[in-house]
Amino acid sequence: RKLAALAHGEPLELPDVPPPAKDPLRLGSLVDGWAGQQHVVKKTTWSTRNAIARFESKYGELAVDEITTEHARGFRNCLQDEEKLAPKTTKTYIGFLKTLVQYAMGEDLVRLERNPFIGVKVGRICDRSRRKIRRSFSSEELDRLFRSKVFTEGYRPRAAIGEAAFWLPLSTSAEI
């Protein structure tokens, strides 16, 4: 009957259809917008994605509005205690996530009362046993290094490394 009425040009009442559910906003979906707006360099974008990957490996792909201060503190503890990262590196990763959430809040992409990463403190490493112990180069390794084309022929690998191929071994071996 409804199809016949529709065929004769009569209006058809349709049931109300709820709007499609919005996909939850995730940290990873914020990176491109934030990076484009702030003119962020490629390395920082890569490092930010690395921080997100570490966070998501611990908590899964949470929606931004599901992230709590407990998640932020747990992430800090994971980086410091489980992964044994240096405080500076831990602060950097926390900072990337804090910046992304702040960007989402500032652009009204998410409604949060407070950025969960604000106020998460990272302490210094006091216990020397937690620090990574690095071994020195052996005489054979140093000999092999300084006989390489970088030092004997002035060769430089890929453009991304360039002069670092020359200076990095010098600065590292000076610590020996």
Side-chain angles (χ1 to χ4, degrees):
R1 198 171 40 164
K2 289 183 180 182
L3 287 175
L6 185 61
H8 289 3
E10 295 178 25
L12 181 64
E13 286 188 35
L14 297 174
D16 289 335
V17 178
K22 285 174 66 176
D23 287 335
L25 185 65
R26 311 250 188 246
L27 289 169
S29 64
L30 295 170
V31 176
D32 291 334
W34 163 75
Q37 186 183 64
Q38 301 298 317
H39 307 291
V40 175
V41 296
K42 193 180 219 177
K43 182 179 177 186
T44 302
T45 303
W46 181 87
S47 296
T48 302
R49 290 187 194 284
N50 187 15
I52 293 168
R54 287 172 182 260
F55 182 81
E56 290 179 346
S57 73
K58 180 159 180 67
Y59 294 111
E61 290 188 28
L62 294 175
V64 174
D65 59 1
E66 294 176 334
I67 299 172
T68 65
T69 303
E70 288 75 29
H71 290 118
R73 287 186 188 125
F75 182 55
R76 174 207 51 206
N77 296 342
C78 174
L79 294 175
Q80 285 187 308
D81 300 334
E82 295 169 29
E83 296 189 33
K84 307 244 186 267
L85 295 182
K88 184 176 179 182
T89 306
T90 301
K91 282 182 189 177
T92 300
Y93 285 148
I94 297 286
F96 286 142
L97 301 184
K98 177 171 59 174
T99 299
L100 283 178
V101 173
Q102 201 63 42
Y103 165 76
M105 291 170 69
E107 295 293 315
D108 289 328
L109 300 173
V110 67
R111 298 263 186 240
L112 288 172
E113 289 181 28
R114 183 174 183 274
N115 186 331
F117 293 95
I118 289 180
V120 175
K121 303 291 183 204
V122 178
R124 296 184 321 184
I125 295 178
C126 297
D127 181 7
R128 292 193 181 274
S129 66
R130 288 181 49 194
R131 293 188 180 177
K132 292 180 182 174
I133 297 173
R134 298 181 180 159
R135 69 172 185 82
S136 299
F137 288 109
S138 69
S139 296
E140 295 80 26
E141 290 169 328
L142 287 171
D143 186 50
R144 186 176 24 189
L145 175 72
F146 291 117
R147 281 190 292 127
S148 72
K149 294 191 305 184
V150 170
F151 293 96
T152 60
E153 300 172 19
Y155 170 76
R156 298 296 183 265
R158 301 189 328 251
I161 296 171
E163 290 301 309
F166 179 83
W167 290 109
L168 187 62
L170 292 179
S171 63
T172 309
S173 63
E175 297 173 7
I176 296 175

